[in-house]
Structure formats: C-alpha cells, structure tokens
Amino acid sequence: MMKSILATSLLALSLSACATAVPPVEVTRFHTANPPVSGTVAIEEMIGNPDISLEFRTYAAAVGSELQRVGFTEIREGRSDYQALVGLQRSYRPSGPDRSGNPVSVGVGGSTGSYGSGLGVGIGINLSGKPKDYITTEMRVQIRRRGDSQAVWEGRAITSAKEGTPAAQPNMAAAKLAAALIGGYPGESGRTITVK
C-alpha cells in the first residue's frame, strides 16, 4: 500500500515537472481560402532573418518534421512545389524587480512572550547569484508556392522560458514552437490561440 502511494506521488511529481517545464506557446496563423495540404517543400531561411546561426538548423529541422507530419514531403535537392521560409528571433528580458546584484540582505527582528524576549539580527546570503533572464523565442514560417512566389500560409509562434531551464534550450524550444505552429495545420486564419 505504501509503495503504491509513493509510486503514485512520484509519478504525479514527475508529470507536474514536465507540465511546468514547457511553457505555453502563443500562435497566430493566416492562410488563403484553400491552403495546400500536400506537395514537395524545401525549408529555407527567411530573408532578413535576424538570427543567422547554427541554431537555425535546429529550428528548420523541426519545421520540416512537422510539415511532413501534416502531409508535405520535404526535399533538399531539386525544385520543390513550395518553399517554407523560416525565421527566428531570440530576445532576453530581466526577471525580478531587483537587479542590483546585491547578494547580502540584513534583517532585524524582535520577540516578546512568556518564554523569552529579546532582539535578534539575521543576515541572509543569496547564493543563487543574479536572477535568471527570460528568453523569448519567436518562430515565423511562411509557405510560398514556388511557381508564382504567392504566400499561401504563414504563422508566428512565441514562447518564453527562464534562462537555464530545459524549455529555453534550442532543441526543446524548436520542437515545441514547430509543433504548436504547424500542428492542426492549416488552423483558423487570423486567430491567435494559446497551445499548452
């Protein structure tokens, strides 16, 4: 009995850790009246993408996987029916109101009562260092018909996670953003939703 209670508690704890490790994603999509649901697609970098790096490949691979899941065939060579242009941007914002960097705080307290009275002084030392920043990651994807360069579908997904957490790592962020953005393709045009 005790073992099953302990196992249930550990499972609930691990599930809650997974649930909090991946923050929600805000998704907005736009598309033509009849967006394509199949065809060959080449994943390419969006012109003017502000974050040109090796990290881009992680996001491009995640987009390619999700497009294949909804019916497209990704090709790397040759002429494709569609281009999926991918852009991403990561920005940082401070967390917490106190950015002074002061790791030491001093507190004074007093007590009275039947078992004792007196004045106490306490010193608290913050060993955690400065508060971690939040990393906001935005992914943009636009699908264009290769023949006439007409945009037939586009979307944007945004999420934020505390620096140093698993959800802030590029692999997890890429997978989460691509799944939220392309999952349920083509999605409702012009509506912003939150995907948990």
Side-chain angles (χ1 to χ4, degrees):
M1 177 77 171
M2 187 63 173
K3 286 183 180 180
S4 66
I5 292 172
L6 182 59
T8 303
S9 298
L10 288 174
L11 178 61
L13 183 60
S14 66
L15 289 175
S16 68
C18 289
T20 58
V22 182
V25 178
E26 184 179 284
V27 172
T28 307
R29 305 171 181 122
F30 297 95
H31 55 78
T32 59
N34 295 308
V37 293
S38 64
T40 57
V41 64
I43 312 300
E44 301 173 10
E45 188 169 9
M46 192 173 279
I47 294 172
N49 181 36
D51 190 358
I52 301 170
S53 65
L54 291 174
E55 195 173 293
F56 173 78
R57 293 182 193 167
T58 302
Y59 289 86
V63 168
S65 294
E66 290 300 321
L67 285 173
Q68 289 180 62
R69 193 182 315 262
V70 298
F72 290 90
T73 302
E74 182 183 0
I75 63 170
R76 289 188 169 80
E77 293 181 15
R79 189 170 171 84
S80 62
D81 299 326
Y82 300 96
Q83 298 170 282
L85 303 175
V86 178
L88 67 109
Q89 183 171 359
R90 288 169 64 91
S91 58
Y92 299 83
R93 71 177 166 79
S95 66
D98 181 17
R99 298 294 284 177
S100 66
N102 188 357
V104 179
S105 63
V106 177
V108 178
S111 67
T112 59
S114 59
Y115 290 103
S117 63
L119 179 69
V121 176
I123 298 176
I125 300 175
N126 179 358
L127 299 176
S128 65
K130 73 176 191 171
K132 301 284 187 187
D133 290 340
Y134 278 92
I135 300 174
T136 299
T137 307
E138 177 180 342
M139 173 189 283
R140 294 173 317 285
V141 177
Q142 185 179 74
I143 300 175
R144 291 183 167 270
R145 219 172 13 236
R146 177 80 70 180
D148 59 6
S149 293
Q150 176 69 40
V152 293
W153 184 93
E154 62 184 272
R156 179 187 74 179
I158 301 173
T159 190
S160 291
K162 194 171 263 193
E163 186 178 17
T165 63
Q169 301 308 310
N171 287 344
M172 183 175 265
K176 178 72 175 177
L177 288 167
L181 182 57
I182 299 169
Y185 175 89
E188 188 177 340
S189 186
R191 184 175 171 220
T192 300
I193 62 170
T194 300
V195 179
K196 293 182 180 179

